Amino acid sequence: MDHNSPVSNLQATRLQLLTDMISIDTTDGKEAALAEWLAARLTAVGIKADLQPVEGSRTNLVATLPGRAQGNRLILTSHLDTVPVGAGWTKAPFTATIQDGKLYGRGASDTKSSLAAMTAALIELAESHAVPEHDIVLLGTAGEEKDMAGARAFVARGGMADAGCLVVGEPTNQLGEAGCVEVVNTTKGCLPIALRTKGLSSHGAQPAEGINAVLLMTDYLSWLNYHPPFAGISPDPDHGLPTWAPTVIQGGQVFNMIPAACEAFLDTRPIPGMSEADTMRPFFDAAADRWGADWGNYIDIIGRFFLPPLRCPAHHPVLQQALAVAASCGFTSHIRRFFGASDISYLCVDPDMPFFLFGPGIESQAHKADEYLWVSDYLASVDFYKAFAAKNGGLRTV
């Protein structure tokens, strides 16, 4: 579809769904309002929709279009939350603005468009009285942008039991041109590492009487910089080498006091085949190389959580099916990698279960001011999710 062409009544209904969703602020843990609103929309067309508690007032949305047979469920998922608005907006972030074929608003690309398209697909299937061979589950998760608490809660409740295929809605238009939404089959993992160096405070005028924790931290980070932690690892054909980067550092309390502690965070991104232990080991080794066997007297090194890297083989029939469906919906698609982490690392509990990421958002628009996506990509993605569900689940109408 030409992104400047007029929309039909069906397309207008689809657009209104996304517009309404963008108007609901889901920043900073406020996902419940959107989950409740979507549950009401789904229930109105006869789809069973539950609000499953995550923590506090936060909830996941879980809606099911029942199938004829048990097991082998198709899970369509995207997250409810968005990052905060931030500075630099020239458009109203919670009022969807359509201009020159683009729809602007917080979450337009990351990822209310994916969730809206999946919701529209499920509603349209229900309204056509379609009955899949197996259940189709729509999962809207809380907290993906913060701690992935929603995905973890869904798995803890047994939500991924009997799942046969997982489709995650993340922005996979990498080029930014309309019609270039791609099928992603592999992601790096993520392991934030907390560092804390252990010094001894003294007066700033007498630094020799203390141990400067800031200098210990800079010494350690410099060691890592000149002795790359992952240098001996073979590169992955899709992702290359694993990466590491210091992203936060804080030490000291006042200017005239030698700091007794300094804290920092490393953002590490393992590649497929690496475990949590594989990712942590080079940082322990670096501390031992720098300070010897008693390195623990100088620094604490703690992994906060581990999102495993994942890959579904490019030749898998499900991925080939997804490519064919994307082409039939007017997309120019390829199978490619995805650098960021997402709920998929928690949800993909079965290493043999096929999965892919596909969403109409533009990858480079995530978290930006004046975030947007192409209207035509959103509208066509509804057709994609409907058609893939039909092929994967053996949909029939009654």
Side-chain angles (χ1 to χ4, degrees):
M1 185 185 94
D2 187 318
H3 65 261
N4 288 311
S5 63
V7 297
S8 66
N9 289 338
L10 176 61
Q11 291 168 337
T13 300
R14 293 174 176 179
L15 270 176
Q16 189 62 54
L17 179 68
L18 176 55
T19 297
D20 290 344
M21 288 173 60
I22 285 177
S23 71
I24 301 173
D25 179 0
T26 58
T27 63
D28 301 321
K30 299 191 290 285
E31 305 97 340
L34 179 56
E36 292 167 2
W37 186 86
L38 287 171
R41 291 293 299 266
L42 291 159
T43 302
V45 296
I47 298 172
K48 184 177 184 293
D50 295 324
L51 299 176
Q52 294 186 353
V54 175
E55 57 185 23
S57 62
R58 302 171 73 188
T59 62
N60 286 337
L61 168 75
V62 183
T64 305
L65 188 66
R68 287 180 162 81
Q70 296 293 313
N72 203 31
R73 300 177 304 149
L74 171 62
I75 310 290
L76 303 175
T77 181
S78 193
H79 57 89
L80 297 156
D81 62 319
T82 67
V83 296
V85 171
W89 282 78
T90 64
K91 307 282 195 300
F94 300 118
T95 301
T97 302
I98 297 177
Q99 181 179 332
D100 298 327
K102 301 172 182 176
L103 186 147
Y104 294 82
R106 177 49 88 217
S109 274
D110 188 16
T111 58
K112 287 184 177 178
S113 56
S114 293
L115 185 58
M118 291 173 173
T119 302
L122 209 63
I123 288 173
E124 291 174 22
L125 289 172
E127 290 178 334
S128 69
H129 304 291
V131 180
E133 190 66 28
H134 302 277
D135 292 357
I136 300 174
V137 176
L138 172 66
L139 169 64
T141 58
E144 191 272 351
E145 296 287 7
K146 181 182 179 183
D147 53 11
M148 302 188 187
R152 290 186 283 111
F154 184 72
V155 169
R157 293 173 66 102
M160 290 303 297
D162 298 324
C165 180
L166 175 65
V167 181
V168 177
E170 286 284 341
T172 63
N173 184 329
Q174 186 180 36
L175 297 179
E177 300 172 4
C180 295
V181 180
E182 299 189 298
V183 176
V184 169
N185 75 316
T186 178
T187 74
K188 283 185 176 181
C190 180
L191 175 59
I193 298 177
L195 307 175
R196 186 179 187 275
T197 48
K198 307 170 185 180
L200 178 67
S201 63
S202 69
H203 196 286
Q206 296 177 305
E209 294 189 4
I211 300 173
N212 194 316
V214 169
L215 291 180
L216 290 176
M217 183 65 75
T218 57
D219 188 17
Y220 179 71
L221 294 177
S222 293
W223 184 273
L224 293 176
N225 193 40
Y226 288 104
H227 303 82
F230 301 120
I233 294 178
S234 299
D236 181 80
D238 292 309
H239 296 287
L241 290 171
T243 60
W244 71 278
T247 54
V248 177
I249 188 166
Q250 182 175 356
Q253 296 173 287
V254 293
F255 86 94
N256 58 351
M257 179 178 176
I258 298 300
C262 182
E263 297 177 340
F265 267 96
L266 303 179
D267 181 322
T268 71
R269 303 288 171 147
I271 56 177
M274 291 178 66
S275 66
E276 181 173 4
D278 295 331
T279 310
M280 292 289 297
R281 188 178 303 112
F283 299 96
F284 296 145
D285 291 344
D289 290 340
R290 179 61 191 88
W291 290 303
D294 62 345
W295 62 265
N297 293 331
Y298 297 88
I299 191 170
D300 290 328
I301 305 173
I302 301 170
R304 290 302 192 195
F305 57 81
F306 181 66
L307 303 180
L310 297 169
R311 177 182 284 114
C312 182
H315 61 268
H316 195 288
V318 163
L319 293 184
Q320 295 303 311
Q321 185 180 89
L323 281 179
V325 171
S328 73
C329 294
F331 290 114
T332 302
S333 295
H334 307 86
I335 293 176
R336 70 166 181 88
R337 62 192 174 184
F338 190 74
F339 285 109
S342 73
D343 281 339
I344 195 169
S345 291
Y346 280 118
L347 295 173
C348 200
V349 295
D350 180 355
D352 296 322
M353 180 184 65
F355 71 85
F356 63 89
L357 292 83
F358 183 95
I362 299 170
E363 188 173 345
S364 63
Q365 284 297 309
H367 302 188
K368 284 188 176 178
D370 287 346
E371 177 184 353
Y372 71 85
L373 87 161
W374 293 103
V375 169
S376 56
D377 283 357
Y378 165 67
L379 295 172
S381 69
V382 181
D383 295 322
F384 172 86
Y385 294 125
K386 283 178 64 178
F388 180 80
K391 290 181 179 296
N392 191 69
L395 283 169
R396 308 170 193 174
T397 55
V398 295

